[in-house]
Amino acid sequence: MEIGPIPRPARLEYREGIFQSTGIPGITGDQAFAGEMALVAEQFRRDLGGPPGKAAVVCRAVPPLREGGQGEEAYRLMVTGEGISLEASAGAGIYRGLQTLRQFVLSGYKDNTLTIPRLTIEDYPRFPWRGCMLDVSRHFYTPAFIKKLLDVLSLHHINVFHWHLTDDQGWRLPVPAYPELIETGSKRRNTRNPHVPEVKQFYTPEEIRELVSYAGARHIMVVPEVDLPGHTKAVLAAYPEMGCTGGPYQLEDRHGIFPDVLCAGNDRIFDLLGAVFDTLTELFPAPYVHIGGDEVPSSRWDVCPKCRRRLGELGFERARQLQGWLTVRFAQMLTDRHKIPLGWDEVLEDTEKLGLPDELVIMSWRGSEGGITASSMGRRVVMAPSNGGCYLDYRNYDSPEEPGAGSRITRVYDAYLTDPITPEMTGEQAALVLGGQGNLWSELPYASRWAEYMLFPRMCALAEAFWSPRELKDFASFTQRLPAHQKRLDMLNILQYRGPLQ
Ligand code: ACM
Ligand code: ZN
């Protein structure tokens, strides 16, 4: 069986012979990497069980193996007859290298004996942003599950966890000055899971800090999203004065696009969002905050006296232009807090009057067009096209037996073929592409086992699309490596789709 890693390393050379040792391999080396070495040694113990063996792995600090941004994550892994050596200039590279090694260890450990082919790997990422988005609003996932997910994502060198914390069906972030966001806003109505009562479901500040730290130890950045100004029924149910009609409002109990959004004519929304952004700044060290911006109807703004007054003051012709104005305000509030804002590609629209701040990063989801347009304007982008292999709420295969949202399909093959750099982009545009990500929306998967099934192995395919050199992307090679990889994920107790790939 082909046991080569996923994602495929930039260079892998097998040599004659094997390395063998007894017991769970220990890890030693440069004390600069003490955190990574202890963490991965613990992963080995948990993955394998069994008696400890000798320190077979030695980690060494070396000057950067690549120039520029790729340097920190680059590593060199050598397995000889005598032992295993890993070199990198930074903890990130050591962690990535140890995860590649972890794949060989998972495949090569039997009856307390580890067997690995002799090899040399020189590896580095193609893109700096290799993300996975999890929607915890429509259905909530426990901190324990998120830890399990972060750990297995890191096995694939995924380095961004985009945490979709709020939506019409639930608000999961406690904000001290606005307690109703949790008291009212975190109780989904009518969950699809008959076993879950309508209770408050949110993350405490301690849980958030712990998850951020758990991710950070795995060199994963946690990017929180608060979806604004649409997808805010949970805010409106909690604070009805933030909406155009004044309510009353209820949380939604089904996925959709709903007319009630934040009132663009009411300055109190900025007080609330100031408090929200303060909370995010306090809890999340990452430089980025996602402000949503997708699927915002303007029908309420069209007829709301407060919104009409705002339109007049701003000299706008159309209510839709208020979204552009809000985006600029929200982005400014974040840059005041030294954060870089991200928005879904709709934020590019109706902005001809005010423009958009230069630092705003676009996440392209309705296709690749938003990313192509934004990068042509000199703006940085992250690609997550729903029609291009990145939407993991869609079914794996065109069969009525498969669970998934709507009629659309994301086959493993589609995920594999995704390329954040599209043929339309010039070299300058390509340089503005930070990378890509897979998105899991959770209206259907109300249980974490189901989420795993939607994520894997499609996230494995995406990880290769975002990490491996373009010239090494080869679906035939991927499908040869996948069976051994799925066995590794079985050992980590991940429920996976195993039907047709294409
Ligand atoms: C989205 O899928 N509404 C960003
Ligand atoms: Zn209004």
Side-chain angles (χ1 to χ4, degrees):
M1 187 173 318
E2 172 58 76
I3 59 161
I6 293 177
R8 193 175 188 181
R11 198 170 82 80
L12 187 167
E13 220 174 293
Y14 288 108
R15 303 190 191 286
E16 194 88 356
I18 55 168
F19 168 80
Q20 241 176 9
S21 69
T22 315
I24 296 172
I27 308 173
T28 60
D30 217 305
Q31 276 315 293
F33 307 134
E36 287 81 9
M37 295 189 298
L39 170 55
V40 178
E42 175 60 24
Q43 287 170 341
F44 287 179
R45 281 193 287 276
R46 287 185 40 177
D47 293 352
L48 307 171
K54 67 169 188 182
V57 189
V58 181
C59 300
R60 258 188 230 100
V62 293
L65 298 165
R66 305 279 300 178
E67 302 206 331
Q70 294 165 321
E72 293 226 324
E73 292 190 288
Y75 66 91
R76 184 186 294 127
L77 177 67
M78 281 161 293
V79 180
T80 68
E82 285 72 53
I84 300 167
S85 100
L86 176 62
E87 297 173 347
S89 67
I94 290 293
Y95 188 78
R96 304 289 175 245
L98 287 172
Q99 294 307 304
T100 298
L101 176 63
R102 187 181 176 193
Q103 297 194 20
F104 285 104
V105 169
L106 284 164
S107 293
Y109 192 77
K110 300 213 169 51
D111 304 325
N112 294 330
T113 302
L114 175 64
T115 308
I116 305 184
R118 295 188 197 184
L119 55 80
T120 302
I121 290 177
E122 285 173 9
D123 202 10
Y124 55 87
R126 180 173 171 211
F127 293 104
W129 186 295
R130 306 176 303 277
C132 177
M133 189 212 79
L134 184 67
D135 169 11
V136 298
S137 166
R138 298 203 171 80
H139 283 100
F140 180 82
Y141 300 103
T142 63
F145 171 67
I146 294 178
K147 283 187 183 174
K148 179 182 181 188
L149 177 60
L150 288 166
D151 189 71
V152 73
L153 289 174
S154 84
L155 181 70
H156 301 82
H157 309 332
I158 292 297
N159 69 341
V160 178
F161 178 63
H162 169 179
W163 204 1
H164 185 84
L165 285 165
T166 74
D167 215 301
D168 297 305
Q169 296 79 2
W171 179 282
R172 311 297 179 197
L173 175 77
V175 179
Y178 291 86
E180 284 302 318
L181 288 173
I182 291 306
E183 291 301 324
T184 301
S186 79
K187 285 185 211 158
R188 180 179 165 128
R189 286 191 305 128
N190 234 338
T191 169
R192 292 173 187 266
N193 181 345
H195 307 295
V196 174
E198 292 174 13
V199 294
K200 290 187 280 182
Q201 288 184 303
F202 62 98
Y203 303 97
T204 66
E206 295 70 35
E207 286 169 337
I208 292 172
R209 284 204 179 88
E210 197 187 332
L211 286 170
V212 166
S213 150
Y214 185 94
R218 287 156 181 77
H219 296 275
I220 296 176
M221 165 170 76
V222 181
V223 175
E225 180 186 354
V226 172
D227 203 346
L228 308 168
H231 288 295
T232 43
K233 280 299 283 291
V235 180
L236 300 184
Y239 294 97
E241 66 272 27
M242 304 292 167
C244 289
T245 67
Y249 304 102
Q250 279 194 310
L251 275 81
E252 294 299 339
D253 69 351
R254 286 298 178 266
H255 176 88
I257 301 176
F258 305 101
D260 287 303
V261 302
L262 297 180
C263 175
N266 182 353
D267 282 333
R268 290 175 69 181
I269 67 171
F270 299 113
D271 298 334
L272 181 138
L273 292 172
V276 170
F277 293 155
D278 283 343
T279 300
L280 290 178
T281 306
E282 216 178 286
L283 294 176
F284 294 90
Y288 297 96
V289 169
H290 201 306
I291 53 173
D294 58 323
E295 302 176 322
V296 187
S298 58
S299 54
R300 294 285 190 254
W301 295 344
D302 276 323
V303 296
C304 166
K306 285 185 284 219
C307 286
R308 299 223 52 92
R309 191 169 341 118
R310 183 83 82 198
L311 273 178
E313 287 161 11
L314 294 166
F316 287 168
E317 297 90 41
R318 304 184 309 283
R320 286 222 43 81
Q321 291 168 292
L322 288 171
Q323 182 174 356
W325 177 71
L326 288 173
T327 304
V328 170
R329 289 283 302 254
F330 299 155
Q332 183 63 48
M333 292 170 79
L334 286 171
T335 45
D336 287 349
R337 290 164 174 80
H338 310 289
K339 295 290 187 187
I340 302 168
L342 273 146
W344 297 110
D345 58 55
E346 284 96 327
V347 301
L348 292 166
E349 293 167 8
D350 302 292
T351 55
E352 62 281 354
K353 257 258 157 50
L354 293 178
L356 286 172
D358 290 343
E359 61 277 4
L360 177 72
V361 177
I362 298 300
M363 191 168 274
S364 193
W365 75 275
R366 289 177 297 175
S368 298
E369 294 75 20
I372 295 168
T373 304
S375 59
S376 75
M377 305 182 319
R379 192 173 290 292
R380 294 185 303 162
V381 300
V382 174
M383 305 299 279
S386 52
N387 60 359
C390 292
Y391 265 45
L392 308 181
D393 56 326
Y394 298 171
R395 287 179 291 154
N396 271 279
Y397 191 64
D398 190 6
S399 153
E401 304 297 315
E402 285 299 329
S407 57
R408 291 196 275 179
I409 315 288
T410 296
R411 299 167 299 175
V412 174
Y413 181 65
D414 301 318
Y416 192 81
L417 285 197
T418 202
D419 192 335
I421 295 176
T422 70
E424 296 87 347
M425 291 179 182
T426 64
E428 281 100 58
Q429 283 173 278
L432 293 163
V433 176
L434 295 175
Q437 65 180 43
N439 293 342
L440 181 60
W441 301 98
S442 64
E443 177 56 35
L444 292 183
Y446 60 67
S448 61
R449 285 308 239 174
W450 187 353
E452 289 173 11
Y453 182 89
M454 304 311 281
L455 285 161
F456 297 99
R458 290 182 292 188
M459 257 332 288
C460 313
L462 288 173
E464 186 149 312
F466 302 148
W467 174 277
S468 305
R470 186 190 223 164
E471 58 277 13
L472 287 187
K473 265 181 77 178
D474 172 12
F475 191 63
S477 156
F478 178 78
T479 55
Q480 278 164 13
R481 282 174 284 128
L482 191 58
H485 191 72
Q486 292 205 268
K487 280 200 179 153
R488 301 195 271 259
L489 297 184
D490 288 340
M491 293 171 74
L492 303 181
N493 189 26
I494 298 291
L495 183 72
Q496 302 166 74
Y497 166 78
R498 282 193 146 94
L501 303 177
Q502 134 178 61

